[in-house]
Amino acid sequence: MRKKLLAGNWKMNKTSGELAPFFDAFAKELGAAPKCDVLFAAPFTLLQKAQELAKPRGYLIAAQNVHAEASGAFTGEVSLAMLQDVGIAASLVGHSERRQYFNETDATVAKKTKAAQAAGVMPIVCIGETLAEREAHRTEAVVGAQLDAVLEGLGNPKDLGNLVIAYEPVWAIGTGRSATSAQAQEVHAFIRKRVVAVCGADAAAKLRILYGGSANPANIVELLGQKDIDGGLVGGASLKPTDFAAMVRAAT
Ligand code: PEP
C-alpha cells in the first residue's frame, strides 16, 4: 500500500516572517497529525527556517530545484550537498516552469534525478504535456519520453528508491482548469504501465505518482480516489493554510 503524499509547491512566494503564522494556522486547521506524508517545497532562502518549524510537526521540507554537479563555477545554483547541509532531503526536479523559463531539458532533468538519488535526496520529478500536445493526441508520446529519459538515466532501473513522479499537465498548472479525475487516472495508469515495462512490477507497485494542476479542496477527493493517484503536488492552494489542510485531511 503506497502512503499518500501531499506536497505543496510555494513557488516564488513567502518571506521568513510568514512561516511561523503559516505553520501555526496549518497545524490548527489540520487538528490531528496527518496520516499521509506532508511536504512543502519552499524557496531556497526559507529552507532552513521552514525546516526548523516543520520538522517537529512531522512535515517535510523540499527545495524547488537543485543542481546536478557537486560544486564549481555555476553562479546562482545550489548543490545537493548544500541542501543536505541545512537538513533538506527532497527536491522538485524538472517542474514545467523550470523547463519553460529556464530551459531545463529531459537530459538535465535525468542528470539531476540521478545525482539526487545518489546523494540520498528524494527527487520529485515533474512531467506533463502542454495543451497543444494534448490536442494533437501526443500526451502519451510526450509523457512517455520525459519518463523514459529519467528511468534510463538511473543506475539501476529495477530499484527506483525514493523516486516520486508528479504528473502535471502544463495546461492545468495555475489555470484553474484541473484535469478531470478520469483524464488524470488515464495518464497515471499509462505512467505506471511504462514503469512496469522498464523497471518491473515490484518497482512500479511501490512508485508514488502525484497529480498536479489546479488541485484544490473541491476536486482533491475525487482525484485521490483514483487507483494510480498517490497524492498531489499543489501550487496555489498550498499557500493557504485552510485550503491545504482541507486537502491533507481529504488524503487521510
Ligand atoms: C504546481 O505548481 O506544481 C501546481 C500544480 O500549481 P497549481 O496547483 O497552482 O496549478
Side-chain angles (χ1 to χ4, degrees):
M1 182 76 176
R2 297 179 292 269
K3 191 173 185 189
K4 294 250 188 306
L5 167 60
L6 259 279
N9 175 14
W10 283 349
K11 311 195 188 200
M12 197 170 71
N13 291 292
K14 297 200 187 292
T15 50
S16 60
E18 296 172 73
L19 292 180
F22 177 91
F23 286 119
D24 286 347
F26 178 72
K28 199 168 159 216
E29 286 289 336
L30 209 51
K35 291 201 182 75
C36 64
D37 288 336
V38 176
L39 175 150
F40 297 91
F44 288 131
T45 52
L46 301 183
L47 289 176
Q48 201 161 0
K49 187 161 184 192
Q51 175 80 346
E52 280 163 23
L53 293 167
K55 204 173 174 183
R57 293 180 155 125
Y59 319 143
L60 302 163
I61 299 295
Q64 297 173 9
N65 181 34
V66 68
H67 200 274
E69 298 298 332
S71 62
F74 300 103
T75 302
E77 292 293 318
V78 169
S79 73
L80 287 150
M82 290 169 183
L83 293 184
Q84 290 175 308
D85 187 40
V86 292
I88 300 301
S91 180
L92 302 186
V93 177
H95 189 280
S96 70
E97 288 151 18
R98 301 284 326 159
R99 294 177 190 254
Q100 189 180 349
Y101 304 128
F102 303 98
N103 303 320
E104 291 203 12
T105 62
D106 286 350
T108 52
V109 171
K111 226 172 143 188
K112 288 177 180 204
T113 305
K114 186 175 185 189
Q117 281 212 316
V121 169
M122 177 172 88
I124 302 172
V125 179
C126 306
I127 58 179
E129 82 288 358
T130 63
L131 187 58
E133 289 162 345
R134 173 163 281 262
E135 287 177 347
H137 306 288
R138 296 193 57 240
T139 298
E140 291 192 355
V142 171
V143 169
Q146 291 172 335
L147 182 64
D148 286 352
V150 170
L151 299 178
E152 282 161 15
L154 297 178
N156 175 10
K158 300 282 171 222
D159 179 10
L160 294 177
N162 54 7
L163 178 73
V164 174
I165 296 288
Y167 167 58
E168 298 209 299
V170 178
W171 48 271
I173 297 178
T175 59
R177 180 186 166 190
S178 169
T180 64
S181 55
Q183 283 173 322
Q185 166 57 26
E186 191 179 15
V187 182
H188 281 233
F190 164 77
I191 292 169
R192 201 174 305 281
K193 204 167 144 202
R194 191 108 167 183
V195 175
V196 171
V198 180
C199 311
D202 280 0
K206 284 185 203 138
L207 177 69
R208 291 193 286 191
I209 309 173
L210 314 183
Y211 168 78
S214 296
N216 60 46
N219 61 23
I220 194 72
V221 174
E222 202 180 318
L223 286 162
L224 294 178
Q226 305 304 305
K227 182 169 161 276
D228 290 294
I229 300 184
D230 306 309
L233 180 55
V234 182
S238 74
L239 295 168
K240 300 176 205 138
T242 311
D243 283 1
F244 197 55
M247 296 172 82
V248 169
R249 281 199 309 268
T252 56

